Amino acid sequence: MRDLSRPQSLVAINTATVKQLTLREAVECLVAAGITGIAPWRDRIAECGVAEAARLLRGNGMRVTGLCRAGFFTGEGRAGLAAALDENHRALDEAAAIGAQSLVLVVGGLPAHSRDLAGAREIAAEGIAALLPHARQAGVTLALEPLHPMYAADRACLNTMKQANDLCDTLGAGVAIAVDLYHVWWDPDLEREIARAGRSPGRLLAFHLCDWLVPTTDLLLDRGMMGDGVIDIPRIRGWMEAAGYEGLLEVEIFSAGNWWRRPGEEVVRVALERIATVC
Amino acid sequence: MRDLSRPQSLVAINTATVKQLTLREAVECLVAAGITGIAPWRDRIAECGVAEAARLLRGNGMRVTGLCRAGFFTGEGRAGLAAALDENHRALDEAAAIGAQSLVLVVGGLPAHSRDLAGAREIAAEGIAALLPHARQAGVTLALEPLHPMYAADRACLNTMKQANDLCDTLGAGVAIAVDLYHVWWDPDLEREIARAGRSPGRLLAFHLCDWLVPTTDLLLDRGMMGDGVIDIPRIRGWMEAAGYEGLLEVEIFSAGNWWRRPGEEVVRVALERIATVC
């Protein structure tokens, strides 16, 4: 496994981790810490405009792992897919404009007033397939992010690495997977499905770090800093690297009660320390 | 599929659904509603004593689907397994004394101070195997209940029907599965794994009903009444019955903010209505 004792060059910070900062503040904070990897959210891009965001990121030599996030193909059912795709095409253009390696897709949960989970999964697959030609042409990979099963209803009906691998097998080049510890750590098939993904070059596109707290007090906004929870991060990182993953370690922590209340500089400093000591 | 227009004879009520009632009150409430299926929790048995509980249940002609709950093999790691088994043996004796069809096992999550989820799964399997001779001798089936992945750390490292089927295949007679909608509804492999379980006679031992609310405000105590959430209950019931399930439909709802605050009679009445209309 890679040596993480000086992790700056191997780390990306997802702007959701430092939600308290604007994009400019986040970039300045990362540059000061010696970090050049970043995954911005679209709301942070929108605040300053795409052109300014692109200048800011390029001018500071930032490597953009992914633009977060598009997808949400399913919310209005098949009848709403065209409108959802319009928004996804705009997100793809933004991702290309800021030089993002990928556009991260959270595919959406059940359509409004629907209980048809299998149907939602079909709509999501159709949406990704429909977006793919534009993504290939733009040179932006679509990063499928399986979300924890507790989000199946309201955020993503893509809930396991196996589903993501199956979709990638079906869709071919231009689609890959963002593996987020928070969502997949529990999966009995995780090691096998990471190895399976590794057999397709480039499919393991991103690796998101945080931790699962015990107790977890909120389904969405109570993620932990690496080391504060129960995920065996070195083991899963080992599986990723054994499968060929050489990309950045991206810190993505939603933490309304703790980390979002602290100065961004502190969050970034602690994240680096934890990557060096517990990951 | 079975006709649920007059569901009394097909229903069991888990006492956690009417947590506001003692065992005696719960039995009286069910008898008044024409329901003869019940799944008591051990705390309710302990309150009145096993002998009195057995008299109460038998005297009212109650069919006891399962005693809830034992397991928790993993909490103190392998070193604590013997002590955990002692408690499980006592629970088995209680289950036999009250004439329960099964002892429901929630296998436990990560051991204290451990991040070794695969190791926890091994300990759980050892615990079940060690309990099995006693269970066979007592004529009480061990009902493995896969719990939602959001409980992998703190309640059960058995998180999918596939894991449960694999364990049953390994362990042989005397072990079966309690399928709880809340825990498994999201699983892309659910239909296949229910069908797989159905190919082993008796393996589909129990079927627990509730619903997944959107939003869900608490990881443990915010389950919904059937029809108030997003689970396609008729579809999954269809899979169960197509796989040969002929047992009771057991209502198990943890609801600190809603159903636990209402009179038990109302909860049971609404549950029957919902089974007749939305399940």
Side-chain angles (χ1 to χ4, degrees), chain B residues 62-138:
Chain B
M62 302 306 289
R63 175 175 167 191
V64 182
T65 57
L67 176 63
C68 298
R69 57 191 188 175
F72 293 99
F73 300 106
T74 59
E76 301 302 322
R78 186 163 276 109
L81 183 54
L85 279 166
D86 286 347
E87 187 59 31
N88 276 276
H89 287 299
R90 281 192 287 276
L92 258 178
D93 289 335
E94 287 175 25
I98 64 169
Q101 172 190 21
S102 69
L103 177 65
V104 178
L105 298 183
V106 169
V107 303
L110 287 167
H113 314 299
S114 166
R115 294 184 172 90
D116 184 3
L117 189 58
R121 286 168 172 156
E122 288 174 11
I123 296 168
E126 285 175 34
I128 301 162
L131 194 61
L132 193 48
H134 181 185
R136 287 176 181 148
Q137 180 253 320

Side-chain angles (χ1 to χ4, degrees), chain B residues 16-75:
Chain B
T17 307
V18 286
K19 198 180 172 73
Q20 54 278 62
L21 305 183
T22 66
L23 184 64
R24 175 172 297 279
E25 290 168 342
V27 169
E28 288 169 354
C29 173
L30 299 190
V31 167
I35 295 171
T36 55
I38 190 170
W41 278 51
R42 291 184 73 202
D43 56 351
R44 286 289 171 269
I45 303 287
E47 279 171 3
C48 62
V50 176
E52 173 61 18
R55 274 191 295 275
L56 190 58
L57 293 164
R58 289 217 173 86
N60 286 282
M62 302 306 289
R63 175 175 167 191
V64 182
T65 57
L67 176 63
C68 298
R69 57 191 188 175
F72 293 99
F73 300 106
T74 59

Side-chain angles (χ1 to χ4, degrees), chain A residues 241-271:
Chain A
E241 297 191 5
Y245 183 72
E246 296 179 335
L248 297 181
L249 305 173
E250 181 177 327
V251 179
E252 186 181 39
I253 302 172
F254 304 169
S255 172
N258 185 358
W259 298 102
W260 287 353
R261 296 184 180 185
R262 304 194 192 200
E265 292 72 16
E266 179 188 349
V267 178
V268 170
R269 177 177 55 74
V270 175

Side-chain angles (χ1 to χ4, degrees), chain A residues 110 115-118 121 148-150 152-153 160 162-163 185-186 188-189 212 214 216 219 227 229-232 235, chain B residues 110 115-118 121 148-150 152-153 160 162-163 185-186 188-189 212 214 216 219 227 229-232 235:
Chain A
L110 286 167
R115 294 184 172 90
D116 183 4
L117 189 57
R121 286 167 172 157
H148 194 284
M150 68 185 174
T160 66
K162 177 174 183 296
Q163 281 179 285
W185 75 277
W186 61 271
D189 294 332
W212 181 279
V214 177
T216 291
L219 274 79
V230 298
I231 301 176
D232 188 343
R235 185 185 299 205
Chain B
L110 287 167
R115 294 184 172 90
D116 184 3
L117 189 58
R121 286 168 172 156
H148 194 284
M150 69 185 174
T160 65
K162 178 174 183 294
Q163 281 179 285
W185 75 278
W186 60 272
D189 294 331
W212 181 280
V214 177
T216 291
L219 274 79
V230 298
I231 301 177
D232 187 344
R235 185 185 300 206

